[in-house]
């Protein structure tokens, strides 16, 4: 959308459909997107890490970059951190440093995948001693989160096996529940445990949290402070992610969403760079749940986060591109003519209903 003339035209067209553009702009302004500290540093593949001039090197520099993105977009008031990548001597000082720049610390992500002892897993490891080490790290992260003023402990578990027969699958599931029960018991009031899943990688035969169903089962066992986190790139190709979002929203079980994009697997590319229509459909489910009184409260509590890594591009530039792409998709979702859509659905007008979505998608 370019000049003010075009905006006027759009205002008139939307007003003609009973939509108030100022209200929609207000909804768009209220959209808060968390950025990840790890997206500001140099990252790469197992083949090479290409350094980018000026890329952040320390937790402080990563916070400063996240604050810059917030200043430039006005849409990214919080930053997710990863422990130990963002470990500092004084977390209270890091919190102050962020707050001085208008930033809040968002999700705290424990790291259970970079230690040699985790070869066969962490929270699901066959040996109790390794599980203890992983658990102690989780418990430490609960304390760090409290110190940072964060209300989300966000767990992505790399655990799994590489060969059939390597370990007992039911027993691993039991160990997972037992470990997470201890973490859950340590959560202070108001802090959530977000349980992320991923269907494969780094394990190639079985993954202990492979899909949203398993995450949901685990969350149900733990209690209401545990909720599912969906990451775009963590599904087999072709998965209907917007439907997963819809079902979890309806169940009040969606706690967080990691935006990124991919062509093949967990590629962590710029949001909307490969499949902007999928992004629009996901945004449409988020907006639709916010508009429905039955799901509105739960939908507002979802932590919307970018989780991407930039291997060949500038970090801040890429982050802003992602933010703008999310805003664009969200704006398109906001102008879906819901009444017309419901009418077409009630009238079993298959293509009529489909075209209501296309109309919003193509309008902006
Ligand atoms: C994982 C997962 C997590 C993220 C790490 C860096 O693939 O998506 O959310 O914290 O990468
Ligand atoms: Mn993720
Ligand atoms: Mn990932």
């Amino acid at each position: 959308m370019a000049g003010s003339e075009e905006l006027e035209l759009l205002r008139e067209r939307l007003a003609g459909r009973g939509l108030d553009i100022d209200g929609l702009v207000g909804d768009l302004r209220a959209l808060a997107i968390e950025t990840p500290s790890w997206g500001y540093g140099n990252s790469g593949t197992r083949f090479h890490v290409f350094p980018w001039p000026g890329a952040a090197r320390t937790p402080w520099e990563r916070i400063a970059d996240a604050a810059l993105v917030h200043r430039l977009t006005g849409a990214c008031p919080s930053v997710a951190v990863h422990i130990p990548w963002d470990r500092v001597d004084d977390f209270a000082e890091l919190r102050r440093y962020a707050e001085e720049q208008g930033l809040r610390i968002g999700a705290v992500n424990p790291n259970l995948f970079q230690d040699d002892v985790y070869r066969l897993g962490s929270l699901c490891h066959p040996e109790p001693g390794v599980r203890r080490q992983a658990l102690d790290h989780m418990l430490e992260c609960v304390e760090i989160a409290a110190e940072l003023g964060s209300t989300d402990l966000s767990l992505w578990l790399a655990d799994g096996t590489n060969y059939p027969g390597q370990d007992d699958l039911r027993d691993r599931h039991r160990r997972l529940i037992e470990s997470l029960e201890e973490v859950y018991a340590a959560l202070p009031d108001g802090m959530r445990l977000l349980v992320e899943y991923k269907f494969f990688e780094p394990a190639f035969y079985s993954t202990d949290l492979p899909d949203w169903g398993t995450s949901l089962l685990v969350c149900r066992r733990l209690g209401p402070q545990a909720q599912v986190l969906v990451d775009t790139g963590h599904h087999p190709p072709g998965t209907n992610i917007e439907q997963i979002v819809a079902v979890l929203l309806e169940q009040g079980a969606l706690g967080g969403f990691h935006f990124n994009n991919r062509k093949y697997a967990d590629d962590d590319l710029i949001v909307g760079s490969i499949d902007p229509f999928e992004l629009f459909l996901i945004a449409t489910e988020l907006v639709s749940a916010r508009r429905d009184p039955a799901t509105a409260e739960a939908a507002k509590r979802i932590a919307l986060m970018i989780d991407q890594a930039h291997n060949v591009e500038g970090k801040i530039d890429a982050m802003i591109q992602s933010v703008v792409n999310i805003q664009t998709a969200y704006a398109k979702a906001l102008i879906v003519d819901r009444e017309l859509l419901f009418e077409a659905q009630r009238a079993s007008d298959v293509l009529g209903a489909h075209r209501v979505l296309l109309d919003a998608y193509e309008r902006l």
Side-chain angles (χ1 to χ4, degrees), residues 156 196-198 201 231 233-234 258 260 266-268 307:
W156 170 64
E196 184 172 3
Y197 59 89
K198 177 170 165 177
E201 206 196 22
D231 181 312
H234 287 197
H258 276 176
N260 49 51
D266 193 19
D267 306 341
D268 282 340
D307 177 12

Side-chain angles (χ1 to χ4, degrees), residues 54-67:
R57 295 158 301 183
T58 65
W60 313 94
E61 291 183 359
R62 293 192 276 273
I63 298 272
D65 284 358

Side-chain angles (χ1 to χ4, degrees), residues 234-286:
H234 287 197
H235 305 88
T239 303
N240 187 334
I241 298 170
E242 59 272 21
Q243 186 180 15
I244 296 171
V245 167
V247 170
L248 289 175
L249 271 165
E250 186 61 24
Q251 291 283 340
L254 184 61
F257 193 93
H258 276 176
F259 287 101
N260 49 51
N261 218 174
R262 56 85 176 268
K263 180 78 177 163
Y264 302 106
D266 193 19
D267 306 341
D268 282 340
L269 297 174
I270 289 174
V271 183
S273 58
I274 303 291
D275 192 346
F277 191 59
E278 176 188 63
L279 177 62
F280 162 72
L281 295 175
I282 291 166
T284 299
E285 290 305 331
L286 294 173

Side-chain angles (χ1 to χ4, degrees), residues 117-132 134 159-161 165-169 171-176 178-179 208:
V117 294
Y118 296 147
R119 186 169 65 92
L120 302 179
S122 60
L123 297 176
C124 305
H125 195 283
E127 286 170 35
V130 178
R131 298 207 291 280
R132 188 68 259 157
D159 285 34
T161 67
Q166 178 187 319
D167 198 356
D168 186 280
L169 297 180
D171 208 43
R172 288 188 74 90
H173 186 67
R174 215 174 289 141
R175 291 173 220 149
L176 173 67
E178 264 177 33
S179 295
D208 291 296

Side-chain angles (χ1 to χ4, degrees), residues 121-143:
S122 60
L123 297 176
C124 305
H125 195 283
E127 286 170 35
V130 178
R131 298 207 291 280
R132 188 68 259 157
Q133 179 173 330
L135 264 170
D136 287 345
H137 175 61
M138 291 290 291
L139 298 177
E140 189 202 4
C141 284
V142 172
E143 280 170 25

Side-chain angles (χ1 to χ4, degrees), residues 17-89:
R17 281 171 27 194
L19 289 170
D20 149 40
I21 196 166
D22 297 318
L24 298 181
V25 168
D27 286 340
L28 196 55
R29 284 227 169 92
L31 177 67
I33 303 160
E34 183 162 309
T35 69
S37 70
W38 56 95
Y40 294 106
N42 283 318
S43 62
T45 63
R46 64 185 189 276
F47 303 104
H48 191 58
V49 177
F50 297 100
W52 186 265
R57 295 158 301 183
T58 65
W60 313 94
E61 291 183 359
R62 293 192 276 273
I63 298 272
D65 284 358
L68 174 63
V69 168
H70 182 43
R71 277 202 300 283
L72 293 173
T73 62
C76 305
S78 63
V79 59
V81 294
H82 228 292
I83 307 296
W85 301 339
D86 293 310
R87 190 186 284 289
V88 290
D89 291 338

